[in-house]
Amino acid sequence: MQLIGMFDSPYVRRVAVTLKHLELPFEHRNWSVGTDFERIRELSPLGRVPVLVTEDGAVLVDSAAILDALDDWVGPERALLPASGVARREALRLVSLATGAGEKARDVLYERMVRPAEKYHEPWVTRCREQMHGALGLIEASCRERGPDAWLVDDRLTQADISVACIATFLDDALG
């Protein structure tokens, strides 16, 4: 398998961590959406990463779709998303909050990095930050509730733990 995208993306990173944890071999292609955009678009018309190219040549895009496929390949005993019930819903809630916070942080970064200074819109940035902090507050409350030495869901590593850690690292690196 080939995983395409730079590890500075929390979405690429959460796929890579999952592949490593599940002991699924892969080759990492450190392609940037900035400098390798057209190459990425040959595989994914959206031009987004991560992209996973399987051994049989299938191309999967979007980290959520890739992670779902990985869970399917390893089966329910090794899957990192609980199969059903309260645990599944809680894991999905935490993953959604984390990825949503990451998207809002990305929006703040793009506003400053891509948009011309004269078009910078502070109310939009403020709104994105409020949304990001709201999601992070709920994640933090879940962490406090579970305790400092507990996994976020159940008594084992799940996709919630991986996604929250990858997004938190991205937020710390990107927004300091």
Side-chain angles (χ1 to χ4, degrees), residues 36-69:
D36 301 300
F37 184 70
E38 290 307 321
R39 231 182 350 176
I40 292 168
R41 284 200 61 223
E42 289 174 15
L43 297 168
S44 169
L46 292 172
R48 292 183 0 185
V49 293
V51 175
L52 187 73
V53 181
T54 66
E55 294 300 322
D56 64 359
V59 177
L60 301 173
V61 298
D62 188 82
S63 61
I66 294 168
L67 295 171
D68 183 67

PDB file of all heavy atoms in Angstrom, residues 36-69:
ATOM      1  N   ASP A  36       2.949  19.294  -4.897  1.00  0.00           N
ATOM      2  CA  ASP A  36       2.625  18.076  -5.656  1.00  0.00           C
ATOM      3  C   ASP A  36       1.139  17.975  -5.985  1.00  0.00           C
ATOM      4  O   ASP A  36       0.608  16.885  -6.196  1.00  0.00           O
ATOM      5  CB  ASP A  36       3.052  16.835  -4.848  1.00  0.00           C
ATOM      6  CG  ASP A  36       4.530  16.837  -4.535  1.00  0.00           C
ATOM      7  OD1 ASP A  36       5.322  16.855  -5.492  1.00  0.00           O
ATOM      8  OD2 ASP A  36       4.887  16.825  -3.342  1.00  0.00           O
ATOM      9  N   PHE A  37       0.470  19.121  -6.031  1.00  0.00           N
ATOM     10  CA  PHE A  37      -0.981  19.155  -6.216  1.00  0.00           C
ATOM     11  C   PHE A  37      -1.441  18.380  -7.450  1.00  0.00           C
ATOM     12  O   PHE A  37      -2.373  17.574  -7.373  1.00  0.00           O
ATOM     13  CB  PHE A  37      -1.460  20.603  -6.272  1.00  0.00           C
ATOM     14  CG  PHE A  37      -2.951  20.744  -6.377  1.00  0.00           C
ATOM     15  CD1 PHE A  37      -3.768  20.426  -5.305  1.00  0.00           C
ATOM     16  CD2 PHE A  37      -3.538  21.215  -7.543  1.00  0.00           C
ATOM     17  CE1 PHE A  37      -5.146  20.558  -5.389  1.00  0.00           C
ATOM     18  CE2 PHE A  37      -4.914  21.355  -7.644  1.00  0.00           C
ATOM     19  CZ  PHE A  37      -5.713  21.024  -6.562  1.00  0.00           C
ATOM     20  N   GLU A  38      -0.794  18.613  -8.580  1.00  0.00           N
ATOM     21  CA  GLU A  38      -1.240  17.939  -9.808  1.00  0.00           C
ATOM     22  C   GLU A  38      -1.012  16.433  -9.733  1.00  0.00           C
ATOM     23  O   GLU A  38      -1.836  15.651 -10.210  1.00  0.00           O
ATOM     24  CB  GLU A  38      -0.559  18.541 -11.039  1.00  0.00           C
ATOM     25  CG  GLU A  38      -1.031  19.951 -11.361  1.00  0.00           C
ATOM     26  CD  GLU A  38      -2.557  20.075 -11.478  1.00  0.00           C
ATOM     27  OE1 GLU A  38      -3.216  19.167 -12.031  1.00  0.00           O
ATOM     28  OE2 GLU A  38      -3.094  21.091 -10.998  1.00  0.00           O
ATOM     29  N   ARG A  39       0.082  16.016  -9.117  1.00  0.00           N
ATOM     30  CA  ARG A  39       0.338  14.582  -8.941  1.00  0.00           C
ATOM     31  C   ARG A  39      -0.728  13.949  -8.036  1.00  0.00           C
ATOM     32  O   ARG A  39      -1.210  12.860  -8.309  1.00  0.00           O
ATOM     33  CB  ARG A  39       1.723  14.386  -8.312  1.00  0.00           C
ATOM     34  CG  ARG A  39       2.533  13.413  -9.066  1.00  0.00           C
ATOM     35  CD  ARG A  39       3.890  13.082  -8.560  1.00  0.00           C
ATOM     36  NE  ARG A  39       4.522  13.819  -7.499  1.00  0.00           N
ATOM     37  CZ  ARG A  39       5.684  13.484  -6.988  1.00  0.00           C
ATOM     38  NH1 ARG A  39       6.337  12.437  -7.445  1.00  0.00           N
ATOM     39  NH2 ARG A  39       6.230  14.186  -6.035  1.00  0.00           N
ATOM     40  N   ILE A  40      -1.081  14.654  -6.994  1.00  0.00           N
ATOM     41  CA  ILE A  40      -2.126  14.162  -6.089  1.00  0.00           C
ATOM     42  C   ILE A  40      -3.461  14.099  -6.824  1.00  0.00           C
ATOM     43  O   ILE A  40      -4.213  13.129  -6.682  1.00  0.00           O
ATOM     44  CB  ILE A  40      -2.207  15.037  -4.821  1.00  0.00           C
ATOM     45  CG1 ILE A  40      -0.936  14.857  -3.979  1.00  0.00           C
ATOM     46  CG2 ILE A  40      -3.445  14.701  -4.000  1.00  0.00           C
ATOM     47  CD1 ILE A  40      -0.761  15.872  -2.871  1.00  0.00           C
ATOM     48  N   ARG A  41      -3.748  15.111  -7.635  1.00  0.00           N
ATOM     49  CA  ARG A  41      -5.018  15.143  -8.370  1.00  0.00           C
ATOM     50  C   ARG A  41      -5.143  14.008  -9.375  1.00  0.00           C
ATOM     51  O   ARG A  41      -6.250  13.636  -9.755  1.00  0.00           O
ATOM     52  CB  ARG A  41      -5.197  16.484  -9.078  1.00  0.00           C
ATOM     53  CG  ARG A  41      -5.588  17.556  -8.072  1.00  0.00           C
ATOM     54  CD  ARG A  41      -6.244  18.755  -8.675  1.00  0.00           C
ATOM     55  NE  ARG A  41      -7.476  18.378  -9.333  1.00  0.00           N
ATOM     56  CZ  ARG A  41      -7.855  18.829 -10.519  1.00  0.00           C
ATOM     57  NH1 ARG A  41      -7.093  19.647 -11.187  1.00  0.00           N
ATOM     58  NH2 ARG A  41      -9.002  18.465 -11.037  1.00  0.00           N
ATOM     59  N   GLU A  42      -4.038  13.450  -9.821  1.00  0.00           N
ATOM     60  CA  GLU A  42      -4.106  12.287 -10.707  1.00  0.00           C
ATOM     61  C   GLU A  42      -4.756  11.098 -10.003  1.00  0.00           C
ATOM     62  O   GLU A  42      -5.382  10.257 -10.642  1.00  0.00           O
ATOM     63  CB  GLU A  42      -2.707  11.901 -11.191  1.00  0.00           C
ATOM     64  CG  GLU A  42      -2.113  12.885 -12.164  1.00  0.00           C
ATOM     65  CD  GLU A  42      -0.669  12.565 -12.517  1.00  0.00           C
ATOM     66  OE1 GLU A  42      -0.206  11.447 -12.240  1.00  0.00           O
ATOM     67  OE2 GLU A  42       0.001  13.450 -13.077  1.00  0.00           O
ATOM     68  N   LEU A  43      -4.618  11.061  -8.690  1.00  0.00           N
ATOM     69  CA  LEU A  43      -5.216   9.983  -7.892  1.00  0.00           C
ATOM     70  C   LEU A  43      -6.531  10.412  -7.244  1.00  0.00           C
ATOM     71  O   LEU A  43      -7.441   9.619  -7.088  1.00  0.00           O
ATOM     72  CB  LEU A  43      -4.235   9.536  -6.804  1.00  0.00           C
ATOM     73  CG  LEU A  43      -2.936   8.934  -7.321  1.00  0.00           C
ATOM     74  CD1 LEU A  43      -1.928   8.811  -6.198  1.00  0.00           C
ATOM     75  CD2 LEU A  43      -3.209   7.588  -7.967  1.00  0.00           C
ATOM     76  N   SER A  44      -6.587  11.652  -6.824  1.00  0.00           N
ATOM     77  CA  SER A  44      -7.755  12.179  -6.133  1.00  0.00           C
ATOM     78  C   SER A  44      -8.148  13.511  -6.761  1.00  0.00           C
ATOM     79  O   SER A  44      -7.427  14.497  -6.605  1.00  0.00           O
ATOM     80  CB  SER A  44      -7.443  12.387  -4.650  1.00  0.00           C
ATOM     81  OG  SER A  44      -8.468  13.122  -4.031  1.00  0.00           O
ATOM     82  N   PRO A  45      -9.252  13.561  -7.469  1.00  0.00           N
ATOM     83  CA  PRO A  45      -9.628  14.807  -8.135  1.00  0.00           C
ATOM     84  C   PRO A  45      -9.801  15.986  -7.175  1.00  0.00           C
ATOM     85  O   PRO A  45      -9.694  17.132  -7.593  1.00  0.00           O
ATOM     86  CB  PRO A  45     -10.936  14.472  -8.850  1.00  0.00           C
ATOM     87  CG  PRO A  45     -11.350  13.140  -8.384  1.00  0.00           C
ATOM     88  CD  PRO A  45     -10.211  12.498  -7.680  1.00  0.00           C
ATOM     89  N   LEU A  46     -10.031  15.716  -5.897  1.00  0.00           N
ATOM     90  CA  LEU A  46     -10.144  16.796  -4.922  1.00  0.00           C
ATOM     91  C   LEU A  46      -8.794  17.436  -4.621  1.00  0.00           C
ATOM     92  O   LEU A  46      -8.738  18.553  -4.114  1.00  0.00           O
ATOM     93  CB  LEU A  46     -10.737  16.278  -3.607  1.00  0.00           C
ATOM     94  CG  LEU A  46     -12.198  15.845  -3.653  1.00  0.00           C
ATOM     95  CD1 LEU A  46     -12.584  15.165  -2.347  1.00  0.00           C
ATOM     96  CD2 LEU A  46     -13.093  17.034  -3.924  1.00  0.00           C
ATOM     97  N   GLY A  47      -7.723  16.704  -4.898  1.00  0.00           N
ATOM     98  CA  GLY A  47      -6.397  17.226  -4.607  1.00  0.00           C
ATOM     99  C   GLY A  47      -6.095  17.289  -3.128  1.00  0.00           C
ATOM    100  O   GLY A  47      -5.259  18.072  -2.685  1.00  0.00           O
ATOM    101  N   ARG A  48      -6.794  16.461  -2.353  1.00  0.00           N
ATOM    102  CA  ARG A  48      -6.599  16.436  -0.898  1.00  0.00           C
ATOM    103  C   ARG A  48      -5.874  15.170  -0.486  1.00  0.00           C
ATOM    104  O   ARG A  48      -5.906  14.160  -1.179  1.00  0.00           O
ATOM    105  CB  ARG A  48      -7.951  16.475  -0.178  1.00  0.00           C
ATOM    106  CG  ARG A  48      -8.666  17.775  -0.326  1.00  0.00           C
ATOM    107  CD  ARG A  48      -9.967  17.886   0.423  1.00  0.00           C
ATOM    108  NE  ARG A  48     -10.377  16.738   1.199  1.00  0.00           N
ATOM    109  CZ  ARG A  48     -11.531  16.650   1.822  1.00  0.00           C
ATOM    110  NH1 ARG A  48     -12.382  17.642   1.760  1.00  0.00           N
ATOM    111  NH2 ARG A  48     -11.850  15.580   2.491  1.00  0.00           N
ATOM    112  N   VAL A  49      -5.253  15.230   0.662  1.00  0.00           N
ATOM    113  CA  VAL A  49      -4.627  14.059   1.261  1.00  0.00           C
ATOM    114  C   VAL A  49      -5.320  13.790   2.592  1.00  0.00           C
ATOM    115  O   VAL A  49      -5.928  14.694   3.154  1.00  0.00           O
ATOM    116  CB  VAL A  49      -3.105  14.288   1.466  1.00  0.00           C
ATOM    117  CG1 VAL A  49      -2.399  14.395   0.136  1.00  0.00           C
ATOM    118  CG2 VAL A  49      -2.819  15.499   2.338  1.00  0.00           C
ATOM    119  N   PRO A  50      -5.289  12.562   3.054  1.00  0.00           N
ATOM    120  CA  PRO A  50      -4.513  11.433   2.550  1.00  0.00           C
ATOM    121  C   PRO A  50      -5.185  10.737   1.373  1.00  0.00           C
ATOM    122  O   PRO A  50      -6.392  10.829   1.175  1.00  0.00           O
ATOM    123  CB  PRO A  50      -4.455  10.476   3.747  1.00  0.00           C
ATOM    124  CG  PRO A  50      -5.726  10.739   4.485  1.00  0.00           C
ATOM    125  CD  PRO A  50      -5.977  12.229   4.307  1.00  0.00           C
ATOM    126  N   VAL A  51      -4.325  10.045   0.643  1.00  0.00           N
ATOM    127  CA  VAL A  51      -4.758   9.126  -0.402  1.00  0.00           C
ATOM    128  C   VAL A  51      -4.086   7.797  -0.078  1.00  0.00           C
ATOM    129  O   VAL A  51      -2.899   7.765   0.241  1.00  0.00           O
ATOM    130  CB  VAL A  51      -4.319   9.609  -1.805  1.00  0.00           C
ATOM    131  CG1 VAL A  51      -4.682   8.584  -2.863  1.00  0.00           C
ATOM    132  CG2 VAL A  51      -4.934  10.967  -2.131  1.00  0.00           C
ATOM    133  N   LEU A  52      -4.841   6.720  -0.155  1.00  0.00           N
ATOM    134  CA  LEU A  52      -4.280   5.387   0.043  1.00  0.00           C
ATOM    135  C   LEU A  52      -4.489   4.594  -1.235  1.00  0.00           C
ATOM    136  O   LEU A  52      -5.619   4.473  -1.716  1.00  0.00           O
ATOM    137  CB  LEU A  52      -4.951   4.669   1.220  1.00  0.00           C
ATOM    138  CG  LEU A  52      -4.311   3.331   1.604  1.00  0.00           C
ATOM    139  CD1 LEU A  52      -2.972   3.545   2.291  1.00  0.00           C
ATOM    140  CD2 LEU A  52      -5.236   2.527   2.497  1.00  0.00           C
ATOM    141  N   VAL A  53      -3.385   4.093  -1.782  1.00  0.00           N
ATOM    142  CA  VAL A  53      -3.441   3.242  -2.965  1.00  0.00           C
ATOM    143  C   VAL A  53      -3.177   1.826  -2.480  1.00  0.00           C
ATOM    144  O   VAL A  53      -2.119   1.541  -1.904  1.00  0.00           O
ATOM    145  CB  VAL A  53      -2.395   3.661  -4.024  1.00  0.00           C
ATOM    146  CG1 VAL A  53      -2.504   2.769  -5.259  1.00  0.00           C
ATOM    147  CG2 VAL A  53      -2.582   5.133  -4.394  1.00  0.00           C
ATOM    148  N   THR A  54      -4.151   0.945  -2.691  1.00  0.00           N
ATOM    149  CA  THR A  54      -4.034  -0.427  -2.199  1.00  0.00           C
ATOM    150  C   THR A  54      -3.207  -1.278  -3.149  1.00  0.00           C
ATOM    151  O   THR A  54      -2.902  -0.871  -4.271  1.00  0.00           O
ATOM    152  CB  THR A  54      -5.431  -1.049  -2.021  1.00  0.00           C
ATOM    153  OG1 THR A  54      -6.040  -1.182  -3.308  1.00  0.00           O
ATOM    154  CG2 THR A  54      -6.304  -0.205  -1.104  1.00  0.00           C
ATOM    155  N   GLU A  55      -2.875  -2.477  -2.688  1.00  0.00           N
ATOM    156  CA  GLU A  55      -2.076  -3.404  -3.498  1.00  0.00           C
ATOM    157  C   GLU A  55      -2.741  -3.727  -4.832  1.00  0.00           C
ATOM    158  O   GLU A  55      -2.061  -3.960  -5.820  1.00  0.00           O
ATOM    159  CB  GLU A  55      -1.811  -4.689  -2.713  1.00  0.00           C
ATOM    160  CG  GLU A  55      -0.943  -4.506  -1.486  1.00  0.00           C
ATOM    161  CD  GLU A  55       0.431  -3.948  -1.792  1.00  0.00           C
ATOM    162  OE1 GLU A  55       1.019  -4.326  -2.829  1.00  0.00           O
ATOM    163  OE2 GLU A  55       0.915  -3.110  -1.012  1.00  0.00           O
ATOM    164  N   ASP A  56      -4.069  -3.731  -4.850  1.00  0.00           N
ATOM    165  CA  ASP A  56      -4.774  -4.044  -6.102  1.00  0.00           C
ATOM    166  C   ASP A  56      -5.062  -2.804  -6.950  1.00  0.00           C
ATOM    167  O   ASP A  56      -5.757  -2.872  -7.954  1.00  0.00           O
ATOM    168  CB  ASP A  56      -6.054  -4.820  -5.821  1.00  0.00           C
ATOM    169  CG  ASP A  56      -7.083  -4.028  -5.031  1.00  0.00           C
ATOM    170  OD1 ASP A  56      -6.816  -2.864  -4.666  1.00  0.00           O
ATOM    171  OD2 ASP A  56      -8.165  -4.592  -4.764  1.00  0.00           O
ATOM    172  N   GLY A  57      -4.492  -1.652  -6.529  1.00  0.00           N
ATOM    173  CA  GLY A  57      -4.625  -0.434  -7.316  1.00  0.00           C
ATOM    174  C   GLY A  57      -5.839   0.420  -6.986  1.00  0.00           C
ATOM    175  O   GLY A  57      -6.013   1.479  -7.582  1.00  0.00           O
ATOM    176  N   ALA A  58      -6.665  -0.004  -6.048  1.00  0.00           N
ATOM    177  CA  ALA A  58      -7.806   0.821  -5.640  1.00  0.00           C
ATOM    178  C   ALA A  58      -7.285   2.079  -4.949  1.00  0.00           C
ATOM    179  O   ALA A  58      -6.272   2.044  -4.241  1.00  0.00           O
ATOM    180  CB  ALA A  58      -8.718   0.046  -4.702  1.00  0.00           C
ATOM    181  N   VAL A  59      -7.965   3.172  -5.167  1.00  0.00           N
ATOM    182  CA  VAL A  59      -7.570   4.446  -4.574  1.00  0.00           C
ATOM    183  C   VAL A  59      -8.658   4.893  -3.610  1.00  0.00           C
ATOM    184  O   VAL A  59      -9.824   5.044  -3.992  1.00  0.00           O
ATOM    185  CB  VAL A  59      -7.359   5.520  -5.671  1.00  0.00           C
ATOM    186  CG1 VAL A  59      -7.023   6.864  -5.041  1.00  0.00           C
ATOM    187  CG2 VAL A  59      -6.272   5.089  -6.637  1.00  0.00           C
ATOM    188  N   LEU A  60      -8.260   5.081  -2.358  1.00  0.00           N
ATOM    189  CA  LEU A  60      -9.183   5.560  -1.330  1.00  0.00           C
ATOM    190  C   LEU A  60      -8.768   6.966  -0.927  1.00  0.00           C
ATOM    191  O   LEU A  60      -7.578   7.237  -0.746  1.00  0.00           O
ATOM    192  CB  LEU A  60      -9.151   4.649  -0.106  1.00  0.00           C
ATOM    193  CG  LEU A  60      -9.521   3.188  -0.337  1.00  0.00           C
ATOM    194  CD1 LEU A  60      -9.293   2.372   0.923  1.00  0.00           C
ATOM    195  CD2 LEU A  60     -10.959   3.069  -0.799  1.00  0.00           C
ATOM    196  N   VAL A  61      -9.745   7.854  -0.799  1.00  0.00           N
ATOM    197  CA  VAL A  61      -9.474   9.222  -0.385  1.00  0.00           C
ATOM    198  C   VAL A  61     -10.322   9.539   0.837  1.00  0.00           C
ATOM    199  O   VAL A  61     -11.347   8.908   1.062  1.00  0.00           O
ATOM    200  CB  VAL A  61      -9.750  10.236  -1.518  1.00  0.00           C
ATOM    201  CG1 VAL A  61      -8.838   9.980  -2.704  1.00  0.00           C
ATOM    202  CG2 VAL A  61     -11.197  10.202  -1.953  1.00  0.00           C
ATOM    203  N   ASP A  62      -9.859  10.488   1.613  1.00  0.00           N
ATOM    204  CA  ASP A  62     -10.493  10.936   2.845  1.00  0.00           C
ATOM    205  C   ASP A  62     -10.146   9.984   3.982  1.00  0.00           C
ATOM    206  O   ASP A  62     -10.360   8.771   3.889  1.00  0.00           O
ATOM    207  CB  ASP A  62     -12.013  11.070   2.709  1.00  0.00           C
ATOM    208  CG  ASP A  62     -12.607  11.723   3.936  1.00  0.00           C
ATOM    209  OD1 ASP A  62     -12.573  12.966   4.005  1.00  0.00           O
ATOM    210  OD2 ASP A  62     -13.056  11.000   4.839  1.00  0.00           O
ATOM    211  N   SER A  63      -9.615  10.546   5.045  1.00  0.00           N
ATOM    212  CA  SER A  63      -9.138   9.712   6.146  1.00  0.00           C
ATOM    213  C   SER A  63     -10.243   8.862   6.746  1.00  0.00           C
ATOM    214  O   SER A  63     -10.000   7.704   7.106  1.00  0.00           O
ATOM    215  CB  SER A  63      -8.458  10.562   7.217  1.00  0.00           C
ATOM    216  OG  SER A  63      -9.338  11.503   7.781  1.00  0.00           O
ATOM    217  N   ALA A  64     -11.458   9.377   6.851  1.00  0.00           N
ATOM    218  CA  ALA A  64     -12.547   8.583   7.437  1.00  0.00           C
ATOM    219  C   ALA A  64     -12.833   7.346   6.593  1.00  0.00           C
ATOM    220  O   ALA A  64     -13.004   6.247   7.133  1.00  0.00           O
ATOM    221  CB  ALA A  64     -13.808   9.431   7.583  1.00  0.00           C
ATOM    222  N   ALA A  65     -12.865   7.497   5.283  1.00  0.00           N
ATOM    223  CA  ALA A  65     -13.110   6.351   4.405  1.00  0.00           C
ATOM    224  C   ALA A  65     -11.957   5.357   4.468  1.00  0.00           C
ATOM    225  O   ALA A  65     -12.167   4.141   4.483  1.00  0.00           O
ATOM    226  CB  ALA A  65     -13.321   6.828   2.966  1.00  0.00           C
ATOM    227  N   ILE A  66     -10.745   5.867   4.523  1.00  0.00           N
ATOM    228  CA  ILE A  66      -9.568   4.995   4.606  1.00  0.00           C
ATOM    229  C   ILE A  66      -9.589   4.214   5.921  1.00  0.00           C
ATOM    230  O   ILE A  66      -9.381   2.991   5.939  1.00  0.00           O
ATOM    231  CB  ILE A  66      -8.272   5.812   4.461  1.00  0.00           C
ATOM    232  CG1 ILE A  66      -8.181   6.403   3.053  1.00  0.00           C
ATOM    233  CG2 ILE A  66      -7.052   4.952   4.784  1.00  0.00           C
ATOM    234  CD1 ILE A  66      -7.093   7.467   2.891  1.00  0.00           C
ATOM    235  N   LEU A  67      -9.851   4.894   7.017  1.00  0.00           N
ATOM    236  CA  LEU A  67      -9.866   4.224   8.323  1.00  0.00           C
ATOM    237  C   LEU A  67     -10.974   3.183   8.411  1.00  0.00           C
ATOM    238  O   LEU A  67     -10.786   2.109   8.991  1.00  0.00           O
ATOM    239  CB  LEU A  67     -10.004   5.258   9.445  1.00  0.00           C
ATOM    240  CG  LEU A  67      -8.821   6.215   9.575  1.00  0.00           C
ATOM    241  CD1 LEU A  67      -9.140   7.320  10.560  1.00  0.00           C
ATOM    242  CD2 LEU A  67      -7.552   5.476   9.947  1.00  0.00           C
ATOM    243  N   ASP A  68     -12.106   3.462   7.811  1.00  0.00           N
ATOM    244  CA  ASP A  68     -13.190   2.479   7.771  1.00  0.00           C
ATOM    245  C   ASP A  68     -12.756   1.237   6.998  1.00  0.00           C
ATOM    246  O   ASP A  68     -13.008   0.110   7.430  1.00  0.00           O
ATOM    247  CB  ASP A  68     -14.441   3.102   7.147  1.00  0.00           C
ATOM    248  CG  ASP A  68     -15.606   2.140   7.147  1.00  0.00           C
ATOM    249  OD1 ASP A  68     -16.100   1.807   8.248  1.00  0.00           O
ATOM    250  OD2 ASP A  68     -16.010   1.704   6.046  1.00  0.00           O
ATOM    251  N   ALA A  69     -12.085   1.443   5.871  1.00  0.00           N
ATOM    252  CA  ALA A  69     -11.597   0.308   5.082  1.00  0.00           C
ATOM    253  C   ALA A  69     -10.565  -0.496   5.866  1.00  0.00           C
ATOM    254  O   ALA A  69     -10.586  -1.734   5.840  1.00  0.00           O
ATOM    255  CB  ALA A  69     -10.998   0.798   3.759  1.00  0.00           C
TER     256      ALA A  69
END
